[in-house]
Amino acid sequence: MQNTKLAIVIPCYNEADMLPTSLQKLWKLFDKLIDNKEISSDSFIFLVDDGSSDGTWEVIKKAYEESKSRVRAVRFSRNFGNQAAIIAGLENAHRLGVDAAITIDADLQQDINKISEFIKAYKDGYDIVCGIRQNRTDGFFKKICSNSFYKVINFLGVNIKPNHSEFRLVSRRTLEILSNYKETNLFIRGLFYDLGLKTKDIDFEVTERKYGESKFSFLSLFALAAKGIVSFSVRPLRIVFFLGFGISFISILLAIACIVRLIFHLNYLPGLELFETWETFAAGMQILCIGIIGEYIGQILTEVKARPRYITDEELK
């Protein structure tokens, strides 16, 4: 197999402090991979500025001017989110004719030395190579939430390997298939495992972030989890159906108990004192079920509108 034309896709949001250091590390890695004939000399880094409000775009433009065609970039008109930035990078990499593309975070907390293993796996015939975290550097609460997320999302029918991250390689064939997916709310982590292509998992260790903080808050991660579940599974709707059936059945039993008490003039029936508590529980579950259904309706509305996933404000070719 000839040397691989590789694109490393990096979504950036307010990474002005971290990005220069990350790019320097990647230049050294590129030189090593090119010298070892693992990638071709026309490989490049594709940076996506996801509507940053700091000096990220100025850093990108400087890198572009100094890189001798080793950087390509686009800037969004506003913040469209991490998933949109990754999709934009992959779509542009495909348009530029790469053999494979690797996505990685701007802080390079993923082990970039594993990229060589990713490329080897690609040359061995794998269309998708996924990085699997073996450790976490975030707080205890976030770790608990992350572990719970993978358990819940797999229970609900979404096939995702635990601790899978956005550190992955995808082949040209995968990029061609991805171009056929037109959904506005595209959950990438679930999609690549759902394609059925030849996939390999490679473990890596997460390092501490040198500058700044992660841009993923608890709320953004929760929103991403909700999007993933709604995008790939209808099992929550089935749970709503059976939950509604169960609540209705128990309510009927309680109603019969009330009628029996009235007919026989009973002052006490075991368990009937819990009726008010049950009413509160049932009302809460109804609101939860309406919320779940609302998520699906909201996604349908978004897809029907067919608005663009992102808007490019500026491009560096």
Side-chain angles (χ1 to χ4, degrees):
M1 180 181 288
Q2 63 180 5
N3 289 346
T4 302
K5 182 178 180 181
L6 178 72
I8 295 184
V9 174
I10 306 178
C12 308
Y13 180 66
N14 291 342
E15 295 287 359
D17 293 333
M18 187 70 217
L19 199 53
T21 302
S22 297
L23 289 173
Q24 288 300 319
K25 291 180 179 179
L26 288 173
W27 297 147
K28 292 179 181 178
L29 176 67
F30 261 52
D31 291 337
K32 178 182 176 182
L33 295 175
I34 292 171
D35 290 342
N36 293 338
K37 300 188 183 303
E38 295 179 63
I39 64 174
S40 63
S41 58
D42 56 349
S43 299
F44 58 89
I45 296 173
F46 198 97
L47 300 163
V48 182
D49 184 353
D50 187 19
S52 299
S53 56
D54 64 354
T56 297
W57 186 242
E58 283 67 32
V59 172
I60 292 174
K61 287 196 293 185
K62 182 179 179 182
Y64 172 76
E65 293 167 357
E66 298 174 349
S67 69
K68 298 181 181 179
S69 303
R70 297 173 77 176
V71 167
R72 306 284 188 277
V74 295
R75 182 186 189 186
F76 287 173
S77 60
R78 64 171 176 83
N79 179 244
F80 283 87
N82 175 266
Q83 298 290 283
I86 292 175
I87 292 169
L90 293 176
E91 287 179 341
N92 279 278
H94 182 226
R95 176 177 57 83
L96 293 168
V98 300
D99 297 310
I102 293 177
T103 55
I104 192 169
D105 293 341
D107 54 22
L108 298 190
Q109 285 189 271
Q110 298 97 333
D111 185 1
I112 62 173
N113 293 316
K114 293 291 182 178
I115 288 177
S116 184
E117 293 184 35
F118 281 25
I119 297 169
K120 183 179 183 302
Y122 161 72
K123 291 183 177 181
D124 288 340
Y126 289 94
D127 285 300
I128 302 171
V129 185
C130 297
I132 306 297
R133 287 186 299 257
Q134 293 303 293
N135 66 316
R136 301 189 69 95
T137 59
D138 37 22
F140 175 77
F141 179 70
K142 203 169 182 180
K143 291 179 184 178
I144 294 295
C145 291
S146 177
N147 292 333
S148 300
F149 161 71
Y150 285 108
K151 289 179 181 178
V152 170
I153 202 168
N154 279 284
F155 169 75
L156 293 175
V158 184
N159 181 29
I160 298 182
K161 194 78 174 283
N163 294 318
H164 172 44
S165 69
E166 301 296 359
F167 184 33
R168 74 176 69 82
L169 177 147
V170 293
S171 66
R172 180 188 299 174
R173 179 188 178 199
T174 309
L175 293 173
E176 290 173 354
I177 295 173
L178 179 64
S179 66
N180 296 319
Y181 284 75
K182 305 301 182 181
E183 298 104 309
T184 301
N185 296 304
L186 195 57
F187 183 59
I188 300 176
R189 292 190 193 186
L191 171 65
F192 287 128
Y193 274 108
D194 195 55
L195 294 180
L197 299 178
K198 192 174 181 181
T199 302
K200 182 175 183 178
D201 296 329
I202 292 180
D203 298 337
F204 71 92
E205 298 288 332
V206 179
T207 60
E208 292 286 346
R209 185 183 174 98
K210 190 172 182 179
Y211 300 107
E213 297 179 352
S214 172
K215 305 306 181 296
F216 273 106
S217 65
F218 171 76
L219 290 178
S220 63
L221 290 172
F222 182 82
L224 182 63
K227 179 189 291 186
I229 293 170
V230 173
S231 296
F232 279 89
S233 176
V234 295
R235 191 169 292 178
L237 293 177
R238 295 195 181 106
I239 293 174
V240 166
F241 170 78
F242 287 110
L243 188 60
F245 179 82
I247 291 175
S248 299
F249 180 73
I250 295 174
S251 298
I252 290 172
L253 294 180
L254 288 171
I256 292 173
C258 290
I259 293 172
V260 169
R261 186 176 69 170
L262 290 173
I263 292 174
F264 295 98
H265 304 288
L266 300 175
N267 293 324
Y268 175 75
L269 275 179
L272 201 59
E273 68 275 5
L274 298 177
F275 184 67
E276 291 186 1
T277 302
W278 170 255
E279 283 184 318
T280 303
F281 170 77
M285 292 308 299
Q286 287 173 349
I287 294 172
L288 174 62
C289 292
I290 291 171
I292 292 173
I293 295 171
E295 282 291 324
Y296 282 91
I297 294 174
Q299 183 150 136
I300 292 171
L301 177 63
T302 302
E303 297 299 337
V304 168
K305 288 179 179 178
R307 293 177 178 175
R309 293 172 179 154
Y310 56 86
I311 299 172
T312 300
D313 185 51
E314 193 171 347
E315 183 175 3
L316 301 176
K317 299 180 180 182

